[in-house]
Amino acid sequence: MNREMVKMTWTEFRDAVSHRPVILPVGSVEQHGYHLPLSVDVITSHNLSLLLAEEIDGIVAPAIQYGYKSKPSSGGGPLFPGTIDLNGDTLVHQVYDILAEFARDGVQYVFLMNGHFENEAFLAEAMDLATKEFPITTAMASWWDLIPQDVVAQVFQEVPFPGWDLEHAALTETSMVMYFAPELVHMDRYVEEPTFERIPYHRYPVKPGLVPPSGPLATARTASAQKGQMMAQAVVQACAKIYEKTKK
Amino acid sequence: MNREMVKMTWTEFRDAVSHRPVILPVGSVEQHGYHLPLSVDVITSHNLSLLLAEEIDGIVAPAIQYGYKSKPSSGGGPLFPGTIDLNGDTLVHQVYDILAEFARDGVQYVFLMNGHFENEAFLAEAMDLATKEFPITTAMASWWDLIPQDVVAQVFQEVPFPGWDLEHAALTETSMVMYFAPELVHMDRYVEEPTFERIPYHRYPVKPGLVPPSGPLATARTASAQKGQMMAQAVVQACAKIYEKTKK
Amino acid sequence: MNREMVKMTWTEFRDAVSHRPVILPVGSVEQHGYHLPLSVDVITSHNLSLLLAEEIDGIVAPAIQYGYKSKPSSGGGPLFPGTIDLNGDTLVHQVYDILAEFARDGVQYVFLMNGHFENEAFLAEAMDLATKEFPITTAMASWWDLIPQDVVAQVFQEVPFPGWDLEHAALTETSMVMYFAPELVHMDRYVEEPTFERIPYHRYPVKPGLVPPSGPLATARTASAQKGQMMAQAVVQACAKIYEKTKK
Amino acid sequence: MNREMVKMTWTEFRDAVSHRPVILPVGSVEQHGYHLPLSVDVITSHNLSLLLAEEIDGIVAPAIQYGYKSKPSSGGGPLFPGTIDLNGDTLVHQVYDILAEFARDGVQYVFLMNGHFENEAFLAEAMDLATKEFPITTAMASWWDLIPQDVVAQVFQEVPFPGWDLEHAALTETSMVMYFAPELVHMDRYVEEPTFERIPYHRYPVKPGLVPPSGPLATARTASAQKGQMMAQAVVQACAKIYEKTKK
Amino acid sequence: MNREMVKMTWTEFRDAVSHRPVILPVGSVEQHGYHLPLSVDVITSHNLSLLLAEEIDGIVAPAIQYGYKSKPSSGGGPLFPGTIDLNGDTLVHQVYDILAEFARDGVQYVFLMNGHFENEAFLAEAMDLATKEFPITTAMASWWDLIPQDVVAQVFQEVPFPGWDLEHAALTETSMVMYFAPELVHMDRYVEEPTFERIPYHRYPVKPGLVPPSGPLATARTASAQKGQMMAQAVVQACAKIYEKTKK
Amino acid sequence: MNREMVKMTWTEFRDAVSHRPVILPVGSVEQHGYHLPLSVDVITSHNLSLLLAEEIDGIVAPAIQYGYKSKPSSGGGPLFPGTIDLNGDTLVHQVYDILAEFARDGVQYVFLMNGHFENEAFLAEAMDLATKEFPITTAMASWWDLIPQDVVAQVFQEVPFPGWDLEHAALTETSMVMYFAPELVHMDRYVEEPTFERIPYHRYPVKPGLVPPSGPLATARTASAQKGQMMAQAVVQACAKIYEKTKK
């Protein structure tokens, strides 16, 4: 059964909207170190969406490819070439319009699968604004927030867990891409650097030299496709439960 | 050599920006009849971008998946489920932000490969606004505008050319998808309907019943992958020439 | 009977709104060669609106004088002094507000008579947004789109028809102004230049030297008031039919 | 010599911009009683602009026809049919864009001749925003603010001066239209009503029944073309002095 | 009884909203001479709001601290350090959002107590936009507009009344702060300067040297706390009457 | 020495701007349980700003009183009466305008002291946008992010630390208000409820019944002014260090 909206005809979509939820992957175009591609957040959110679609009989909408601005303390920041950032308002309007249109087409529920930390506040804003105007239910989660403690413990057996904000281009993201798109991981180019010390403030203009030169904020050395799979399964199970809880 | 930005690391991108143009495919999520998927405009613009990248040593940026509103007289209109339309301002801001960021990263030139007629005015607006603020050169073309008369004549040997505005989900688009993604074409579902009579005005609210029920505005019966290939090659040659003319 | 809103008192307007359509002329301030004034698009759309008002018992609203940005390939572009361009969003909001207010006043129907090609997409956007919020029917047409083939043939007996996009400050516009405001046509200043070769792409920033130095994109040599009249009559007949078709 | 931009060709405009100021009339579409047309504010500001252009060798730009919202205490308010109001932001953007374009064309100075009280704050906002971005000098005045005490005394010989905020569709505006466009004044329809008692607050939503049913806020009985002329001359002299003071 | 929202718990607020009006003080951060603090407009509007709350059993919302741009002719203008101006649109959106939220919480009526002349147009715009969308009644007044002639006469016994637009940082405002926050008045630093001559136009960019160097536009020499009290009482009585008139 | 901008005259401010940093407290109007006032976030951020001003010779700007929308999982959400939420864009524009004006006045550095979690993303957006246009350095921190582990351990001796996102109207905020404004704390109304179970997703529209009826997301039982003081001192020390690090 076809689960990707981009591959569906309009009649296939029409026949599905009344009873199937839509899953909207949201990513970014952002540096992910020497060893991972710029599209890690899309790869992850899109593939998790496909798995979730199997689980809840959903339809996966075309991914939002460009996301909100990378911040030094969670994504390395805007100074890396290839990090292409949208203004907050731009992302809000894009998601708002898409939700409005899904509502007009009769969709009842949209699950936003977020793959980029900095998107969160703006996705929530769009959801709030759209659901105030249109009769549609929406939920949003970032995949790392859904990984249970025991899975975290298993993934971080060899190295300490640095906290989710530092897990940029690090062990968990690398494992995810190893699982979903191994051909895009270049561990041979990976350079181990000291774990970035968390900055508890934001400074603008962003200052060069704050984050490790290669980009990751913590170690990716012990990444594996198997760890990626373990996390992906846990995330999908958690999303399915969220869907059950939030759909009514 | 890697030509897709989504597959590049940030250092690969950094090493390319000073001398390689960026190609930005722009599509839509829009009905394309019983026989074509909702993503025809992305499929076409993305694949033409890849071919052009070979020709001019370019980098293909992640496609803009959602486009401006479908109009009855050129795309069948907003009443088909699955047609997911952005407001004009939303598209303008998205393209503006992306161009601004490419400029900040040192990109000299962006070619916007448009696959959806209704996008044109808003892409041009974004290009005008962005180039007034940032030192970057941009050009935009819609692929159908680049097909020379003789290729049109060859493609329309069996049926009359209805004009480009009616070529929605019809002979040329179907041929393009047959060439680029044949597995997504369902000619078995195709229903021949009378060519839509061109409407020389716009009415809002959009009235149901204006366009043929299946969606295409003209016949797709004689489509073929070979015709798609012929057009694609002509488009890419024309784009390469535009690049040469506009880059300085 | 008074057909111009600017000359009506509020009670005259009040007594008319429930059963008479409003016609809103939309123009621009744009170069039109050495021989035509900057206001060609307003002169034409305003006068066509007056004629149409006779035909359908309409009220002519004050014209929108400033329009969207002139493009090189259809209006000569922004580099000519005297071309005063609005941003797209500005035009959209202006038309939106006006339509909203007409709806609040009880107007049932607004016909937008467009005299400037580049306005089209933004007028349609405003109409879509306004009619989603307010109970009002709107239609928009550009006059050149309404001239039937046989009239085109008669007008272009002496010279080839270059296509509507090149008919800027050329034979048809000049004829229209000769008919509506002959005192503003200076054929003695007219300079024949080679027909501009159509550019199938948009480049920003706009490059100088693309269009003929005087401004027109095709010949105006054979213009006449009589041709203007012939076209005007055809346009008004077509508009009246559109009104009949779209009003319910 | 041609002083109206709408009648000028682009070369005439080009030859003038370096040394001649532009005058931009700003009006509204607003009820003005049973006896005056909806366009009083445009008629007045446009004609004063023409007179000023003679005085200071200026160019009169196309008038801004639609203005900001009518308020009960100064214009009768939005409840009269035919009062077509723009949102504040819309007016700001329109004036901003126009000033930006004049600056890009090399215009040094724009004088905004305001004919509608409620426009003032939004015109000033647009002027502030535009002059922060573009090298252009702007000044704005509302004509009533420029009438000296002795002229006020002469105009109000027969009746008391109610204050400028109540002079809506009353003695001064009626006299102005009698002078500039006598054919549009219908004193036979004029109904004398008690002077409106000034409201020192704003209530929204606007409540019906606050202002006199016919629309004027004070008496127009003693209006005359001669009084209009006297005021017009005083205004133009004052504007010419403002121009001298503000141009450097 | 607690009248300040900032000191109330959410249950205290909840129990009040159905029957008690909300009073929203609006100020600015603006120069007020050598002798008064930057927050005069907040001090005045906040304290008047507290008094009014006693009178009409109202709740005082947190003040809007930053207001619209100071103009030379009514506030000395933007060139004084410490004058922190919001764009008009920013103020409109802030007030709009606050009114929308009060409406969502069940508040029936909001009285905006304005302490800064330049805010007026933008407050009214926000009120108009918000009350078009939400079921809430709003009224707005500037305190100086509510002082009756006899009180004006008493306050201006020793010096001539210069008109309200020149009463910036002058006799009335100084008296108000003497009454409400005497510890913030530094009459020892006060410098008498010639009364500013009213400018009947606006020029942008704002030119230095237009207003008296110290900031006040008229004399404050005869200010006293007693005069402040007299005016405050008159204002509060007038506001209470406006509330009675406008609440239904 | 005067450290509060609201109490300073413009000359005092002028004399300070070149060498003293500005501290901008940002709060919200949000439910904080039965026992705390709606303005907890302003009380805390304003008082911390005053302490920091002593430490770094700063000036405290008027607080931003209204903040971004409360979310169920970190503030209880919008369903509590008295929670008055701004749209994200509104907050961004307000902070942007204020930063722009400080820059125009010659301020070199602004520290944003945030007291409301949900503000963070929008403050950072405003800082990014403003510092791209204006030559000013900005830093922002939320006070809870600055409390070192050992202070957390001391504060949470009697009860477990639930994580900062659940510390809404709980032990730490209550202690802060006990320290800064004890008269506004009503422990007699406090009701102990089970700690809210963290929700790792966002659902819109917000569903009633998700959070404890009284509002706090964790226990406030063991709060004390002394704990408030201990945290305040730690925060101020941390801010002073951030200032040193970020000012150049």
Side-chain angles (χ1 to χ4, degrees), chain A residues 68-69 88 125 128 140 202, chain F residues 68-69 88 125 128 140 202:
Chain A
Y68 181 67
K69 296 166 190 171
E125 174 70 346
D128 178 55
M140 181 261 290
H202 298 275
Chain F
Y68 181 68
K69 296 166 189 171
E125 174 71 345
D128 178 56
M140 180 261 291
H202 299 275

Side-chain angles (χ1 to χ4, degrees), chain B residues 74-88:
Chain B
S74 46
L79 303 181
F80 290 85
T83 293
I84 303 298
D85 293 332
L86 298 186
N87 285 323

Side-chain angles (χ1 to χ4, degrees), chain B residues 46-90:
Chain B
H46 178 63
N47 280 285
L48 289 169
S49 295
L50 289 176
L51 292 176
L52 177 60
E54 289 299 323
E55 201 69 25
I56 64 172
D57 192 20
I59 298 168
V60 179
I64 292 185
Q65 306 257 1
Y66 296 89
Y68 181 68
K69 295 165 189 171
S70 181
K71 288 179 181 159
S73 55
S74 46
L79 303 181
F80 290 85
T83 293
I84 303 298
D85 293 332
L86 298 186
N87 285 323
D89 202 38
T90 304

Side-chain angles (χ1 to χ4, degrees), chain B residues 153-188:
Chain B
Q154 278 184 277
V155 170
F156 288 90
Q157 269 180 331
E158 301 94 347
V159 295
F161 176 54
W164 283 116
D165 40 357
L166 299 194
E167 267 298 302
H168 180 75
L171 172 46
T172 50
E173 288 199 314
T174 306
S175 297
M176 283 295 208
V177 185
M178 280 175 164
Y179 177 51
F180 288 130
E183 72 283 7
L184 297 178
V185 184
H186 311 281
M187 285 309 287
D188 54 313

Side-chain angles (χ1 to χ4, degrees), chain D residues 68-69 88 125 128 140 202, chain E residues 68-69 88 125 128 140 202:
Chain D
Y68 182 68
K69 295 166 189 171
E125 174 71 344
D128 178 56
M140 182 262 290
H202 298 275
Chain E
Y68 182 67
K69 296 166 189 172
E125 175 70 346
D128 178 55
M140 181 262 290
H202 299 275

